[in-house]
Amino acid sequence: MRYQFFIFITLFILVQFSATAQRQERIQAFRAEVFTEELQLTDTESSAFFPMYETYTEERRDLQQKHKQLQRQLLVISDEEASTKIEELFQLEEAEIDLKRRYFKQFLTVLPIRKVLRIPAAEREFKKELLEKARDRRRRQ
């Protein structure tokens, strides 16, 4: 009986993991679609840009998670600890700016400057359209 329960739990976890991975793949494909349209990317530009952009977003996501953790810590620490934590917060913000600078320079190696300048607008458009899709899906349910 325990063995069957263990198998059931394992299969359940695998199905959940698979669904999450599929959802992430759909989101990445949708991002590529929006960016390609917004930035008017050619096939050559797309194939060079997206691997670079994915690495950039992963690194940025890591920094943002550290930032959120640090902000949560600021709510429950003493005044003495707060001064060092605030300095850490500034360092994380500087690291995010450095990350943008570094990657935007790399983007310039595969895209013209006008397209690189439109990346933040493409990111906003992607988020807007993704939220709209999520709202529509909730309304239909």
Side-chain angles (χ1 to χ4, degrees):
M1 184 71 165
R2 285 185 184 175
Y3 183 71
Q4 289 174 339
F5 180 72
F6 177 74
I7 290 175
F8 173 76
I9 293 297
T10 304
L11 286 174
F12 178 76
I13 291 170
L14 287 174
V15 167
Q16 289 296 92
F17 181 74
S18 175
T20 301
Q22 288 174 349
R23 191 174 316 122
Q24 288 298 333
E25 287 176 19
R26 285 194 311 264
I27 289 172
Q28 285 181 342
F30 182 62
R31 177 186 289 132
E33 179 184 318
V34 171
F35 272 57
T36 300
E37 181 181 321
E38 287 294 312
L39 301 177
Q40 299 173 349
L41 299 176
T42 65
D43 291 341
T44 305
E45 290 171 337
S46 289
S47 63
F49 169 73
F50 283 113
M52 221 183 281
Y53 185 79
E54 288 303 320
T55 306
Y56 164 68
T57 56
E58 288 172 15
E59 289 183 39
R60 188 173 69 178
R61 190 176 307 119
D62 290 344
L63 284 174
Q64 289 170 341
Q65 286 176 347
K66 288 177 186 176
H67 193 269
K68 285 178 185 178
Q69 288 174 342
L70 192 57
Q71 284 182 324
R72 275 182 282 204
Q73 291 174 0
L74 290 175
L75 299 174
V76 294
I77 59 175
S78 68
D79 289 347
E80 295 85 35
E81 294 173 309
S83 63
T84 59
K85 293 294 182 182
I86 288 174
E87 190 57 40
E88 287 178 39
L89 194 65
F90 291 146
Q91 289 172 355
L92 281 173
E93 289 173 0
E94 288 172 358
E96 193 167 346
I97 290 171
D98 292 342
L99 180 74
K100 278 184 178 182
R101 275 194 187 108
R102 186 166 33 100
Y103 272 94
F104 275 59
K105 284 179 185 175
Q106 286 183 20
F107 296 154
L108 285 170
T109 64
V110 297
L111 297 176
I113 191 154
R114 296 239 180 246
K115 291 183 181 184
V116 172
L117 289 173
R118 291 188 1 228
I119 290 172
E123 289 172 334
R124 285 189 302 274
E125 184 63 26
F126 164 70
K127 288 177 187 175
K128 183 181 115 188
E129 290 186 27
L130 190 63
L131 286 172
E132 286 174 7
K133 278 184 137 186
R135 280 190 211 117
D136 289 346
R137 191 174 300 120
R138 277 191 220 121
R139 287 182 192 140
R140 283 184 267 150
Q141 290 177 348

